Amino acid sequence: MKKMLLWIIPLVVIVILIIIFKPFKEFFIERNKEPLPKEYAAIQPIDEQYASPDFKVSLLYTVQVSGAASPNPIRIFPSVNHQLIVYCDAQKDEDTKADYQYYKFNEKGIVADSLYIKYDGYWAEFIDDFIMYTKEEGEYYTTWPSNGDITKKIIHAVNADFHLSEKEMNELISEAISDSRYYFYKFYVVQGTYIRKFFWYKDEKWRVLYQKVSAYDDVPDELSAGRYRKIVFSSGESDPYLPDNVELLYYYPEEKMNYAHIIGGGQGGFKVYNWRGKGFFRTHVAGKKLDFRVDKLATEKERFDNYKLRLYTVSERNSSADNFRPAFYHSAYGYSFYSPVRDKIYLITKK
């Protein structure tokens, strides 16, 4: 009995000291005893099981996300023929880390075509009817966006043997910029030589001018091929604020607990003691109301941003909170995309 007391007494003392010096709320979760209002009980999360007489919800694509390397692994941009193109990082392993999967959506929200681009040294750039494939040595294009054709087509080379004078090249570029439908630059280092390529489209023909230059230079945005493609939606939108096209109908607190905010950049973080519960939201798809629920949601308001509502998801007590943004892209054709996290995107269509 004495031996038992010898180890029980110190243990009790340790527990008492922990309780004294550690906040009481660290050990317990406060529960909300008020019932959920009946008008919100039937509202569902947006996933493949979402049941509605008006809408069909499909999980369009799930990507593999590897840390900060893919902050926005799913993106959408408008294309020709009233299409939207969804493109996704296709990484599954080291061999596929630079591959992309593309989906072409027509006006009815149906996948009209898809294209998997495996990286083989070429960089793919979408410019309206064309995909331009460029690299240090060699280039070609296809017309997949407009007609589904993936046949490699020739880009006619100018000055491939570098025989033109600087004056001749400048005159050619000036003329091309003034009366060409598209033009852009690319810089490369080829066997220690700095090469600038000027691409332009005129008289239904793509051409490329080769130039030797004295130093490598980055292409400014206004002269890049990327300026012809406008991203209208991305997964993994990181700010925790409510989008303009979404309304918070009601927040139901369920349990009050500790969770953490990780600041990053070597600044550590801080803890919050706050409610976690269910959020009930509304958006509109094709002119009709779409209500949905988000679980394990925490809301915060602080002076630093004028008490603007911020949203977080908290997986469990004492875990790190994740920024949450219920992000939608409502197309002009009556279907929508939804991405609550950066590795998934849902398609919502009318029934």
Side-chain angles (χ1 to χ4, degrees):
M1 185 66 178
K2 288 182 179 179
K3 289 183 178 180
M4 185 177 295
L5 288 172
L6 287 176
W7 65 267
I8 289 178
I9 293 173
L11 181 61
V12 172
V13 172
I14 291 172
V15 171
I16 292 172
L17 289 173
I18 290 175
I19 292 175
I20 291 173
F21 290 103
K22 201 169 180 63
F24 188 70
K25 62 188 178 184
E26 292 279 348
F27 300 96
F28 297 95
I29 297 177
E30 182 181 345
R31 306 287 181 182
N32 180 15
K33 297 179 181 179
E34 295 296 323
L36 175 68
K38 292 180 180 179
E39 60 265 37
Y40 301 105
I43 297 179
Q44 314 157 69
I46 293 181
D47 56 26
E48 307 93 303
Q49 284 74 50
Y50 191 90
S52 166
D54 299 317
F55 305 108
K56 178 183 177 182
V57 177
S58 306
L59 177 60
L60 175 62
Y61 202 76
T62 301
V63 299
Q64 175 179 312
V65 177
S66 54
S70 298
N72 306 108
I74 306 171
R75 284 136 287 178
I76 298 174
F77 60 91
S79 184
V80 294
N81 303 326
H82 308 291
Q83 299 166 157
L84 288 173
I85 292 180
V86 177
Y87 75 112
C88 315
D89 293 357
Q91 177 178 348
K92 297 292 187 297
D93 50 37
E94 188 65 22
D95 291 335
T96 59
K97 67 180 182 180
D99 297 355
Y100 288 94
Q101 175 72 59
Y102 294 85
Y103 298 96
K104 188 190 297 181
F105 281 80
N106 64 20
E107 293 169 279
K108 295 180 180 180
I110 297 173
V111 178
D113 200 357
S114 64
L115 176 66
Y116 188 97
I117 296 182
K118 183 167 183 60
Y119 179 72
D120 58 357
Y122 287 91
W123 185 258
E125 302 273 12
F126 280 70
I127 301 179
D128 289 345
D129 296 290
F130 313 102
I131 305 180
M132 310 296 296
Y133 293 85
T134 61
K135 66 175 184 177
E136 288 88 343
E137 297 179 274
E139 50 274 321
Y140 66 92
Y141 73 93
T142 74
T143 54
W144 181 80
S146 61
N147 57 20
D149 188 0
I150 58 172
T151 305
K152 295 181 180 180
K153 296 177 174 58
I154 294 172
I155 298 176
H156 298 272
V158 178
N159 197 38
D161 58 359
F162 305 107
H163 70 280
L164 293 178
S165 67
E166 184 173 352
K167 179 183 178 182
E168 290 173 317
M169 289 187 290
N170 289 338
E171 288 176 351
L172 185 58
I173 292 172
S174 179
E175 180 184 350
I177 289 176
S178 66
D179 62 3
S180 296
R181 184 177 176 187
Y182 308 109
Y183 61 88
F184 64 92
Y185 283 100
K186 289 281 186 177
F187 271 96
Y188 298 103
V189 181
V190 181
Q191 298 178 355
T193 301
Y194 299 111
I195 302 295
R196 181 172 64 187
K197 296 183 182 182
F198 176 74
F199 295 82
W200 74 102
Y201 183 71
K202 181 180 178 181
D203 300 328
E204 299 185 355
K205 183 182 291 187
W206 276 103
R207 300 173 176 84
V208 56
L209 171 66
Y210 288 77
Q211 297 175 279
K212 287 184 180 180
V213 292
S214 59
Y216 183 88
D217 195 7
D218 291 325
V219 178
D221 291 343
E222 63 271 18
L223 294 176
S224 71
R227 75 186 189 276
Y228 293 110
R229 181 179 61 181
K230 180 184 177 183
I231 303 298
V232 296
F233 187 71
S234 299
S235 69
E237 295 188 14
S238 59
D239 78 63
Y241 299 106
L242 199 62
D244 292 338
N245 57 12
V246 179
E247 174 189 0
L248 177 62
L249 299 175
Y250 181 71
Y251 179 73
Y252 176 65
E254 293 182 300
E255 56 263 324
K256 202 171 188 180
M257 61 176 65
N258 273 286
Y259 58 85
H261 286 296
I262 306 302
I263 299 175
Q267 299 183 54
F270 59 93
K271 281 193 173 183
V272 176
Y273 187 58
N274 189 26
W275 288 99
R276 183 184 74 169
K278 290 179 169 65
F280 298 88
F281 299 87
R282 173 173 292 168
T283 190
H284 291 81
V285 176
K288 291 190 175 183
K289 294 183 293 187
L290 175 72
D291 294 344
F292 62 99
R293 186 185 82 230
V294 175
D295 298 329
K296 298 183 177 180
L297 186 74
T299 65
E300 296 182 18
K301 292 182 179 180
E302 300 290 343
R303 181 185 297 175
F304 76 89
D305 59 356
N306 295 319
Y307 300 98
K308 192 175 180 180
L309 179 69
R310 300 191 311 280
L311 305 173
Y312 304 94
T313 52
V314 181
S315 60
E316 59 186 15
R317 179 169 64 94
N318 290 322
S319 66
S320 175
D322 293 315
N323 290 0
F324 177 74
R325 183 175 172 85
F328 288 86
Y329 177 72
H330 300 308
S331 79
Y333 311 113
Y335 62 90
S336 299
F337 296 98
Y338 173 60
S339 181
V341 290
R342 62 182 175 147
D343 63 340
K344 290 182 181 180
I345 189 167
Y346 293 90
L347 172 67
I348 304 172
T349 54
K350 295 182 296 183
K351 284 187 174 178

